Amino acid sequence: MNAAKRYEIFRRLHEDNPEPKTELAYSSPFELLIAVILSAQATDVGVNKATAKLFPVANTPEAIYALGVEGLSAYIKTIGLFNSKAKNVIETCRLLVEQHGGQVPQTREALEALPGVGRKTANVVLNTAFRQLTMAVDTHIFRVSNRTGIAPGKTVLEVEKKLLKFVPKEFLLDSHHWLILHGRYVCQARKPRCGSCLIEDLCEYKHKTSDD
């Protein structure tokens, strides 16, 4: 795929949705960090239902740490893998209090040192909360990048690096959200909705579908 085609893809995505946002509900970098940790192998809708009950009660590292694993589990038991996530969140809260003054760090290295925080989670927080030029590649972005030809790669890290290189700089900051939303609602895994796709004519996927 050439640069002109990529530019037009992101120009259209921007025109369609000038200020894309994550679908996770949060009101601070800390709330976002916790929501993203909880969202692993879970839906944003499911996480939002749980945090809607949790955050009014506890939305700081100190407050959630005070709940303990059992107390936190009661709020997030509807989310998959809640036991291990509760342990990770409590330990993360302890480290935030002891090592970062209760603040969410703004470097990937410091974020990845927290339990339950991998490269993808760190990139989401850096991009969404702190507006850094990072690219968090989830299953949606990996699929869209390969299927369309925007940034094909065999591994998540390869796709991440290609996107950072190939996405036009003026669109890079929000491209993570555009690609996720596109994968979630249009370029779906089992049957992409090519007939409803605003970049269908630019996409290099060989097996396009028509909407029924």
Side-chain angles (χ1 to χ4, degrees), residues 137 142 145-146 151-153 155-163:
V137 178
F142 186 79
S145 298
N146 275 286
T155 67
V156 167
L157 186 57
E158 185 181 357
V159 169
E160 176 188 327
K161 288 180 176 179
K162 283 190 175 182
L163 285 168

Side-chain angles (χ1 to χ4, degrees), residues 38-192:
L38 295 177
S39 73
Q41 297 179 359
T43 65
D44 288 358
V45 172
V47 171
N48 289 342
K49 286 181 180 177
T51 58
K53 297 176 181 176
L54 170 65
F55 289 155
V57 174
N59 70 342
T60 65
E62 296 84 354
I64 288 183
Y65 184 65
L67 290 175
V69 173
E70 284 191 20
L72 176 58
S73 294
Y75 287 98
I76 66 170
K77 61 188 177 184
T78 54
I79 300 174
L81 309 174
F82 74 90
N83 280 318
S84 61
K85 288 176 181 178
K87 292 174 184 174
N88 283 337
V89 167
I90 292 299
E91 183 64 7
T92 282
C93 289
R94 183 183 69 80
L95 292 173
L96 289 176
V97 172
E98 293 181 1
Q99 298 180 8
H100 300 285
Q103 300 298 308
V104 177
Q106 298 188 35
T107 67
R108 179 184 286 114
E109 294 73 23
L111 283 167
E112 287 188 26
L114 300 171
V117 179
R119 186 179 182 90
K120 184 184 76 173
T121 295
N123 281 338
V124 170
V125 173
L126 292 172
N127 177 260
T128 304
F130 301 123
R131 305 303 279 160
Q132 295 184 24
L133 293 175
T134 60
M135 178 61 65
V137 178
D138 70 347
T139 54
H140 295 301
I141 292 181
F142 186 79
R143 179 177 67 254
V144 170
S145 298
N146 275 286
R147 185 183 272 167
T148 61
I150 292 172
K154 293 181 179 178
T155 67
V156 167
L157 186 57
E158 185 181 357
V159 169
E160 176 188 327
K161 288 180 176 179
K162 283 190 175 182
L163 285 168
L164 289 171
K165 179 181 179 182
F166 291 147
V167 175
K169 288 293 180 283
E170 68 187 90
F171 300 122
L172 185 55
L173 191 60
D174 290 319
S175 57
H176 160 78
H177 295 308
W178 285 318
L179 292 171
I180 280 186
L181 294 170
H182 192 68
R184 188 172 287 167
Y185 297 110
V186 182
C187 196
Q188 297 169 334
R190 292 188 179 179
K191 188 181 180 185

